[in-house]
Amino acid sequence: MRRSLRKWPVVVRVEGLNLNRFVRTAGEAGIRLTQVRRLSLRRLKALVREEELPALTDIAVQGGWQLHAGERKGSGRVLAWLSKRWLLSAGAAAALIALAAASRVMWRIEVVDGGSYTADIQSALQELNISAPMLRCQVDIGQLREALEWRYPRIAWIECGWRGTTLVIRPVTGVLPMQEETPTGMRHVVAARDAVVKQIVTRSGTPAVKPGDIVRAGDILIKGEERTSDGAVRPVAARGRILGRVWQAAEIVMPVTETSTRYTGNRQTVWTVRTPWFDFWPMADCGYDTWDTSVSEMPLCGIFLPMTLHMETRIEAICERSRRELQDVKAEAEAAALRKLYEIAGGEESLIDIWGNCSMIDSEKVQASAIGEMLVEIGVQSSPSDMAAPEQSEDSG
Amino acid sequence: MHEAIFPKEVIAGVPRLTLTGRERLHVEQHQGLMDYEPEHIVLRTVCGLLRVTGAGMGFQMYTAAEAVITGRIDQVSFTEREGRR
């Protein structure tokens, strides 16, 4: 470092008489002077390489000139400044090297506008062994794009590229063209459930039922065809609104007897010290036929040692069966059936008529049923794959 | 057999002058600086004294064999006698 620095030019100022001789003598001594400028009659400024400065100084001393060497010029001056601060220079160099190395690494992967594909693209990248951080040269962008486009055929194209040290992947979803109505696009409107047709409004297609008809689930309500003026039949996607009367039933079975508990007043308390793995001593068996149990757990040693005092109190109880008033049971069963019907129908508002029935079965139980009538839309458009099934059901219906 | 042809300036040590515009004069094979002022520079050559007059002149480079004079150059001339302007 120091040897190379000696090649940098240094400013020298010379004072004295007959400066021409000074320049000539320096030249004859093989010293290369540059930027020689006469400042005044007795003063001169020039640049000389630092390694030639001692020889020039000797010439000046021998000839009686006064020579003042100044600072280095140009980049040599910067290098001299840096050489005095080698720690700073080394740090800056290390930082530059680290920066250059870091810029060769992929630190992030970003999926832009991925939508529902985002998570799957990330798993696909893991399958391709692409994960941050890794060297950028190990990621083949073209190969990655091809692999992703092969994996997602419904995506129009995939943009892969670098933004700094981030791998950016942007799937561009294609917009499918509108499907044209073709002969294979014939679709019926079929019944979604058993019903009696109340009203039918046909917007396209040919109605196959009339108000008052009983239809079963799957029956064709509006056919997916229309007759043209020349007598030909044209397939269409049938549309319309069909209201039907449907019924919902809810049933409840309720016992006439009820079981009640009576405590005798006898009780037994047992306890043990319990750990998750074993009990310090076993607890005694209970001598009652039927009983209720009250348990309390008290930690003994805190959370670091899971040991608890386990205490059980057993209270003797006797179960007795008694017969209830039949009217009360019926009323309770009817109310329960009605509540169940509301839950099934989705609310009281949709029901246009409700009635119920209550009867005793097996002399021990009461069966209550509630039936509600609703007016609902029963027509659904069949999917192309279901076209065969409605045709068959049409015959059966 | 061909006789080797050497340029005259190489054999006889005659100076070679290259003038670039009016700002730069390259002098090769001079024999030393005789006088230097910003208005005139005198170099000794085998052909006599080379006198360069102008203004604000200086040496961009000076060695024992060649010199590059920069500044505004008005006149370049040779004189037979040494030493005096």
Side-chain angles (χ1 to χ4, degrees), chain A residues 14-92:
Chain A
V14 186
E15 287 184 28
L17 294 170
N18 201 356
L19 292 173
N20 309 325
R21 193 164 64 85
F22 173 80
V23 174
R24 188 171 61 241
T25 310
E28 287 168 356
I31 296 171
R32 179 190 175 95
L33 295 175
T34 55
Q35 306 293 334
V36 182
R37 286 287 182 277
R38 192 102 186 220
L39 302 175
S40 65
L41 190 64
R42 298 178 62 179
R43 291 177 65 220
L44 181 142
K45 187 178 85 170
L47 296 180
V48 65
R49 287 196 295 185
E50 194 171 358
E51 62 184 356
E52 294 173 336
L53 187 59
L56 195 67
T57 307
D58 288 345
I59 291 170
V61 170
Q62 288 170 8
W65 294 287
Q66 289 185 355
L67 187 141
H68 307 282
E71 69 281 4
R72 289 194 183 96
K73 294 292 285 184
S75 53
R77 193 173 174 180
V78 177
L79 282 174
W81 186 85
L82 286 175
S83 67
K84 290 176 186 170
R85 296 160 180 83
W86 63 271
L87 196 60
L88 177 68
S89 309

Side-chain angles (χ1 to χ4, degrees), chain B residues 14-72:
Chain B
V14 296
R16 187 167 73 174
L17 279 64
T18 308
L19 184 63
T20 307
R22 291 184 58 171
E23 285 78 32
R24 189 173 188 273
L25 177 64
H26 188 187
V27 183
E28 294 170 89
Q29 298 201 114
H30 69 83
Q31 292 181 332
L33 179 67
M34 298 304 294
D35 196 4
Y36 168 41
E37 296 290 339
E39 290 76 28
H40 72 273
I41 293 173
V42 180
L43 291 167
R44 191 172 63 190
T45 69
V46 295
C47 305
L49 295 180
L50 171 67
R51 179 182 292 272
V52 182
T53 56
M57 291 191 296
F59 290 96
Q60 185 183 348
M61 186 266 289
Y62 182 90
T63 63
E66 58 181 316
V68 177
I69 300 168
T70 55
R72 199 192 78 197

